[in-house]
Every structure is written in structure tokens, then in C-alpha cells.
Amino acid sequence: MSDSLAFLPFTKPSIDEDTIAAVADVLRSGWLTSGPNVQKLEAQLSEYFGGRPVRTFNSGTCTMEIALRIAGIGAGDEVITTPNSWVATANVIIETGATPVFVDIDPKTHNIDLNKVEAVITPRTKAIIPVHMCGLPCDMDKLYELADKYKLRVVEDAAQAIGSSWKGKRIGAFGDFVSFSFQVNKNIMTGEGGCLVLNNAEEARLAEKYRLQGVTRSGLDGIDVDVLGGKYNMTDIAAAIGLGQMKHLAEFNAKRAELARHYFSSFGADFETQTGAELPVANFENSNWHMFHIVLPENVNRAVFMQQMLDKKIGLGYHYRAIHLFTYYRERGFTDGMFPIAERVGKQIVTLPLFPAMNKEDVERVVSAVKSCLL
Ligand SMILES: *Cc1c(COP(=O)(O)O)cnc(C)c1O
């Protein structure tokens, strides 16, 4: 019977016909690079984030790197971050010439453990990059208290957190630098892309320079380059996708929350004690439910589990393997045992299917497959 079931991936973007038509319009217009759609998307995002300046880029990764550059972070500086993230979060620190300093995560939220941050602050510490994992925000009061006390710049890696909130305020609408990704798996996407929420017009001007080779223009033929920039601008094709996605953001996130609620009720109150697996924090006030993960019990081999689920036509992800255990990071002195919680989670976590086009029957199918593997 399960042969007739379609494969269920762990995520899939929802794209409406209007968006497809809008992309076709851009292609027909002949203006494909950054243009009117980019400006329109930046204006909409700025409104979404309470009027703060917003600039778009061609990835969430370069968005964070540019934030660090605007903050003047470079060689000799230390930047605190979490080992439980996509490797981009730490890579951008090294790209600027600075040194990443990892702090282990909280076992429940899987976010950086802010109680352990003070212990690693040195006179060289210049910034902190917390990640709002799966869209569940860090403790923003504690984060900005620490930043104030030690004069640290904050680059929030909010790649997964569009539409998340803290005490009724939207993530991105307050704080220091806030970086979002529009990579295809995120709650809204532009194929590839990202945006940075900035503090003021001066930072926005710098962001524009860094994203286009450091160029400033004046008059019809005036051009100068006074900083080293790169090629990070968003195309108008991508921006047209983003504008189409923005129309559905609230609805997408509401659907995700509804499906997440259904996961919890389908797993049932006894699931954790019966299986030894861990469910995510059931936070329906702050999270945008970017992902729904479970941490498998120690005695379950993740690769075997993933194969069993694949045999039932269910695709899983794992977000993430601990960054410090990748070869490149080991070669820089990091080893096993340094951040035990991130290591355990990184080894045993799986991401279950969750995307707006799913329905409750899909959730139930995943839950019964998980239970049949673990019980
Ligand atoms: C997706 C993601 C990134 C990178 O974003 P890209 O747009 O793929 O460059 C960085 N950090 C986290 C936590 C992410 O989920």
C-alpha cells in the first residue's frame, strides 16, 4: 500500500502562478540584475521590520560577512558563536580574518547557551553571532544585556527566523545587525538570497558599497573605490520571487505552526519517555517553526534510521553536524569533547518534513513511521 504513496521530502518551497508570471515579466523586461524589484523588496522588508533600513544580497552567508565588515571586525578580533549551525555562521568569521570562539548550546533550545558566554570574553572579543535555531529566538534580553555590558556588536544569524518574535516584537525589528537568508529551504525564499537589517543610513550606504566591489558613484561618470567589496547583489529575478513570497509569509508561517502543533499531538505526551527521543521546545509564541526536529536516543544509529524512513518514502534532514568537528576546524585546533551538547545533538538530530504544502495526514504518516522505527 505504501508503494502508492508519494515521496515526502523534508522541505519544499511553495510558489504561486503569479510569482512565476512575475519572473517571466522580469525576463521579458530585459533588466535582470538589481533594479526596481530589488528596491521594492527592500522597501517591503524595511516596512516588515518596523522601518529599519534593509539591504538585500545574493546569500544569507555574505549578508553576515558584510555585517561583520561594516562593524570593522577583522584580524586579531574574536567573534563568539555557536557550533550548532550551518557552517556558514563560523566561516564568515574566518573570512574576515577574525577568530571564531565557540560556546556550547542549551540542550533544550539548541541555541547558544548565553550563560556560558561571559567565561570566554577577552579584550579581543568584538562581536557575537547567535543563531535562532529552527526559528526559535535566543533569549534576547540576556543577549543584548551581554552585548551592552561588554560593548559587543551583535550579528543575529536569523537565517531561519523570519516572522519569529520575542515578547511581541518581531525578530529584525529591534537589536543590532539582523541577517536573514532566502535560500530555497527557508520560510520565504528567492532561490538564493538574503537580507540585512541595519541600524542607520550610514550602515546601509556601507552595505551597498560592500555588495558591489566597494564602488561609490557620483554624477553620470563619477566612480571611486575606497573599500574592498565583492559581488553580492541580488538579481531582479530573485527579488521578483521574494515579492511573490512576501505575500504569503504570514500564511506560510501559520500553516507551519499548525502542522507543528499536529506533530506534538500526534506524537503524544508519552513519546519521549517511551522512546528516549527528544521533541523540540513547544514554543508557539515566538517560533516561526522553520524546522521540526527530534533528537534520537543515543542507541539509535542515525544513518540506519534515515534509511528506514527513506524506505517508507520519507526524506529527513539533519541540522546540523557540530561545526568544530569538520576537518577544516579540527585543523585549527578544535577536537571532540569541547562542546559535548552540540556534539551529541549534531550526531543524533533529524529534521522531520515540515513545509506549508503538507497536510495533517502527511504529519500522521511521518509520526507513525518514526514510532514504528523507534518502538
Ligand atoms: C541557511 C542558513 C545560513 C546560510 O544562508 P545562505 O543563504 O544559504 O547563505 C546561515 N545560517 C543558518 C542558520 C542557516 O539556516
Side-chain angles (χ1 to χ4, degrees):
M1 195 189 113
S2 71
D3 283 353
S4 63
L5 286 172
F7 178 74
L8 184 65
F10 83 85
T11 190
K12 194 167 76 177
S14 292
I15 304 162
D16 64 17
E17 288 302 321
D18 285 352
T19 304
I20 293 169
V23 168
D25 285 346
V26 174
L27 295 176
R28 287 192 191 97
S29 78
W31 190 282
L32 309 195
T33 186
S34 310
N37 283 314
V38 164
Q39 282 187 3
K40 204 169 156 194
L41 181 61
E42 287 177 347
Q44 280 191 16
L45 288 164
S46 175
E47 196 188 329
Y48 188 77
F49 296 120
R52 299 183 71 196
V54 177
R55 292 297 179 270
T56 55
F57 303 90
N58 56 25
S59 76
T61 303
C62 71
T63 300
M64 290 191 283
E65 189 182 326
I66 286 169
L68 291 173
R69 292 198 189 278
I70 295 170
I73 309 292
D77 298 332
E78 292 172 1
V79 178
I80 295 170
T81 194
T82 166
N84 179 43
S85 184
W86 178 227
V87 66
T89 312
N91 282 354
V92 294
I93 298 169
I94 298 177
E95 283 287 350
T96 67
T99 304
V101 174
F102 293 112
V103 169
D104 209 353
I105 56 170
D106 178 278
K108 288 242 172 320
T109 65
H110 300 171
N111 286 332
I112 189 168
D113 187 343
L114 292 171
N115 295 317
K116 294 181 179 159
V117 165
E118 267 184 304
V120 303
I121 291 176
T122 75
R124 295 151 87 98
T125 311
K126 293 288 157 54
I128 177 168
I129 310 185
V131 177
H132 306 309
M133 185 51 62
C134 299
L136 180 67
C138 297
D139 182 328
M140 300 299 274
D141 296 336
K142 202 173 273 179
L143 170 67
Y144 280 98
E145 247 171 57
L146 278 169
D148 267 0
K149 184 168 171 194
Y150 293 98
K151 303 282 166 269
L152 306 180
R153 293 306 299 265
V154 179
V155 179
E156 293 176 41
D157 182 350
Q160 306 180 356
I162 194 156
S164 298
S165 61
W166 174 257
K167 296 188 172 168
K169 281 184 293 187
R170 193 168 274 164
I171 293 300
F174 65 103
D176 196 352
F177 295 108
V178 190
S179 167
F180 294 87
S181 167
F182 302 132
Q183 188 267 343
V184 69
N185 290 348
K186 309 302 199 236
N187 288 27
I188 60 167
M189 61 91 201
T190 59
E192 300 286 357
C195 78
L196 182 63
V197 186
L198 303 128
N199 295 291
N200 52 52
E202 172 57 16
E203 286 180 0
R205 194 183 63 80
L206 281 172
E208 288 173 9
K209 279 215 290 195
Y210 280 116
R211 80 178 163 187
L212 253 179
Q213 316 292 6
V215 164
T216 39
R217 290 179 192 280
S218 56
L220 207 52
D221 67 346
I223 177 171
D224 192 22
V225 175
D226 60 356
V227 296
L228 186 67
K231 177 69 171 152
Y232 302 127
N233 58 304
M234 180 181 274
T235 66
D236 246 32
I237 304 167
I241 301 173
L243 287 165
Q245 294 272 295
M246 281 293 280
K247 291 189 185 135
H248 298 283
L249 174 54
E251 158 207 332
F252 286 168
N253 283 358
K255 184 70 190 291
R256 285 174 176 276
E258 185 190 328
L259 294 166
R261 275 188 201 281
H262 200 57
Y263 264 121
F264 282 108
S265 63
S266 304
F267 276 120
D270 297 333
F271 174 75
E272 291 185 306
T273 45
Q274 277 172 356
T275 61
E278 293 162 42
L279 295 173
V281 179
N283 184 327
F284 287 90
E285 207 181 303
N286 297 333
S287 180
N288 69 354
W289 290 100
H290 172 58
M291 292 191 281
F292 193 102
H293 54 250
I294 60 173
V295 181
L296 299 170
E298 214 70 36
N299 63 346
V300 172
N301 180 303
R302 180 169 65 187
V304 172
F305 176 82
M306 289 176 80
Q307 185 60 55
Q308 287 170 335
M309 294 292 284
L310 263 185
D311 293 343
K312 299 174 200 292
K313 295 193 178 178
I314 296 170
L316 303 179
Y318 52 93
H319 301 87
Y320 291 94
R321 273 180 195 278
I323 294 171
H324 67 287
L325 299 182
F326 288 128
T327 301
Y328 181 83
Y329 285 85
R330 286 181 187 273
E331 285 170 0
R332 274 148 193 82
F334 296 103
T335 59
D336 299 270
M338 282 181 156
F339 311 104
I341 303 168
E343 289 169 26
R344 180 179 70 83
V345 167
K347 201 168 141 278
Q348 294 303 97
I349 200 160
V350 288
T351 308
L352 305 184
L354 180 63
F355 53 90
M358 269 174 69
N359 58 38
K360 290 190 170 177
E361 289 70 41
D362 294 324
V363 169
E364 287 157 20
R365 187 180 142 202
V366 175
V367 169
S368 69
V370 169
K371 284 182 174 171
S372 78
C373 293
L374 294 183
L375 287 170

